[in-house]
């Protein structure tokens, strides 16, 4: 695993739409089975049908959104960011975010062996080194995996891809 790039991006006001899970939904410590379920049940086809045109850079990416606050249940959401006024399809969950900056780290490595995931202990200090301080949004720390095409979907000659790890940061 290598961090290829760190930068700040402006996220407009958004509505995240998807399925919400808790630690009880993990299988062998991960939410990989829930991603498989999302593809099998057509979750992303449903979301893409209502997404409309991209309204910020990378807005069409699939997202693994996480909410963490000590003493409260961990949340993991699978879905996409949409325009704030998007109607939520029946059976899905949503969370609205105000416009805010995010710190983005491009994590480079091999997805098939799991080396891209769970590196907050490395990424967060690197964000801080770049002057990006984590922010509390809606009472918790929110961050997300952004599976952006083609960075994540097209492996290079070494079989590696880039996973965007994004954290809400202070202005």
């Amino acid at each position: 695993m290598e961090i290829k790039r760190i930068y700040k991006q402006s996220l407009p006001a958004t509505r995240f739409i998807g399925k919400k899970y808790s630690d009880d939904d993990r299988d062998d410590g991960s939410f990989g089975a829930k991603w498989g379920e999302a593809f099998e049940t057509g979750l992303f086809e449903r979301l893409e049908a209502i997404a409309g045109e991209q309204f910020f850079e990378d807005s069409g990416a699939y997202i693994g959104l996480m909410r963490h606050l000590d003493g409260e249940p961990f949340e993991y959401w699978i879905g996409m960011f949409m325009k704030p006024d998007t109607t939520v399809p029946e059976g899905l969950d949503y969370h609205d975010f105000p416009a805010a900056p995010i710190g983005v780290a491009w994590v480079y490595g091999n997805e098939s062996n799991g080396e891209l995931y769970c590196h907050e202990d490395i990424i967060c200090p690197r964000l801080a080194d770049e002057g990006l301080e984590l922010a509390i949004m809606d009472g918790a720390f929110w961050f997300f995996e952004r599976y952006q095409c083609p960075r994540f979907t097209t492996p290079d000659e070494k079989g590696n891809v880039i996973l965007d790890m994004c954290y809400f940061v202070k202005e």
Side-chain angles (χ1 to χ4, degrees), residues 16 19-23 26 29-32 35 62-70 72-81 95 97 102-103 105 107 116-120 123-124 134-147 163-168:
F16 183 87
K19 299 278 287 185
K20 181 170 60 168
Y21 301 100
S22 71
D23 279 330
R26 290 181 192 261
S30 87
F31 293 96
W35 278 92
Y62 299 168
I63 303 292
L65 176 69
M66 292 163 268
R67 179 187 182 277
H68 170 77
L69 187 62
D70 288 339
E72 292 190 11
F74 178 78
E75 295 176 11
Y76 187 87
W77 304 56
I78 296 175
M80 295 175 69
F81 286 110
H95 187 87
F97 290 97
I102 57 173
V107 182
L116 293 178
Y117 306 104
C118 301
H119 294 294
E120 291 77 14
I123 296 167
C124 291
L134 298 183
I136 293 180
M137 297 289 296
D138 297 328
F141 290 103
W142 290 86
F143 56 105
F144 55 94
E145 304 155 334
R146 181 167 62 193
Y147 298 92
L163 172 66
D164 298 8
M165 283 301 303
C166 306
Y167 299 77
F168 286 94

